[in-house]
Amino acid sequence: MKQVIWIWIGVGLLSAGLVTGCQDEARDNDLVELDLLPHGMPIVIMAPQDPLIETLDLVVQKDLTIKKGDYFVQIFESDATTYDLAAIKSRLLGEVQSNRYYQKIITEDPDGFIYETAIDSSYINYGFRRVRLQGDKEYIFQTGLRGKFPLEAVEKMYRATAK
């Protein structure tokens, strides 16, 4: 009897995971692969069809933004200062947590996180940071620097920047 209960619990958890995964896929079905190599970055991410892409080539880093609707991802490329992914993520986490409006971490993975900021209870905003090391380059993905982002949009952008 106990085995049957554990089997049903396992089936329930598996079903819940599949439903959640399918919901994420359904929410992201308007995204397509976007190769950023023509814009100077050897990166492929998921993005809306035909977004506005702007690049700024600074001396020490490249800044590339991808915008369309509520999708606004900014990518910074620079020479890698370390190949320790955890150290880079920790630095990014410290930068975000030092913001006086920082509230909490919503989601955390080895290469990034989603966080919440709030000026007051009527102005809650979400953002993310994700790091990717590729060759001798460091890529920092984040929500655009301007704008207010609801959690669902940030979760979608965060998933879109995963490898």
Side-chain angles (χ1 to χ4, degrees):
M1 184 65 177
K2 287 182 184 179
Q3 289 175 337
V4 172
I5 292 171
W6 282 111
I7 289 171
W8 280 109
I9 290 172
V11 169
L13 291 173
L14 179 61
S15 298
L18 289 174
V19 169
T20 301
C22 291
Q23 288 172 343
D24 288 346
E25 189 175 307
R27 284 190 300 234
D28 297 346
N29 65 1
D30 62 328
L31 302 181
V32 297
E33 278 195 356
L34 177 62
D35 184 356
L36 297 175
L37 189 56
H39 302 279
M41 284 188 187
I43 297 285
V44 175
I45 66 169
M46 301 302 290
Q49 186 77 36
D50 301 319
L52 173 64
I53 300 173
E54 299 176 339
T55 59
L56 184 59
D57 198 354
L58 306 169
V59 175
V60 295
Q61 71 179 5
K62 288 183 184 176
D63 176 356
L64 185 141
T65 58
I66 305 160
K67 294 189 262 186
K68 186 170 186 180
D70 63 355
Y71 185 101
F72 186 0
V73 172
Q74 192 157 13
I75 307 169
F76 296 101
E77 175 196 72
S78 61
D79 291 335
T81 55
T82 180
Y83 296 102
D84 183 349
L85 189 66
I88 298 169
K89 185 187 127 190
S90 179
R91 175 180 50 90
L92 294 172
L93 192 54
E95 290 172 4
V96 165
Q97 290 174 329
S98 70
N99 180 322
R100 72 183 198 184
Y101 301 115
Y102 167 80
Q103 295 295 307
K104 63 184 175 182
I105 295 296
I106 303 296
T107 302
E108 189 169 1
D109 295 306
D111 64 344
F113 54 91
I114 296 174
Y115 62 94
E116 177 184 296
T117 58
I119 295 174
D120 58 39
S121 62
S122 67
Y123 190 89
I124 297 174
N125 192 32
Y126 297 90
F128 79 91
R129 299 287 188 278
R130 185 183 295 276
V131 63
R132 187 182 304 179
L133 294 170
Q134 192 170 300
D136 63 347
K137 298 293 183 185
E138 171 183 301
Y139 298 89
I140 306 297
F141 300 83
Q142 66 179 47
T143 44
L145 292 176
R146 295 178 308 274
K148 183 176 182 220
F149 303 98
L151 182 57
E152 186 174 293
V154 171
E155 289 172 332
K156 185 175 184 175
M157 290 183 279
Y158 186 73
R159 286 189 301 272
T161 60
K163 283 188 177 180

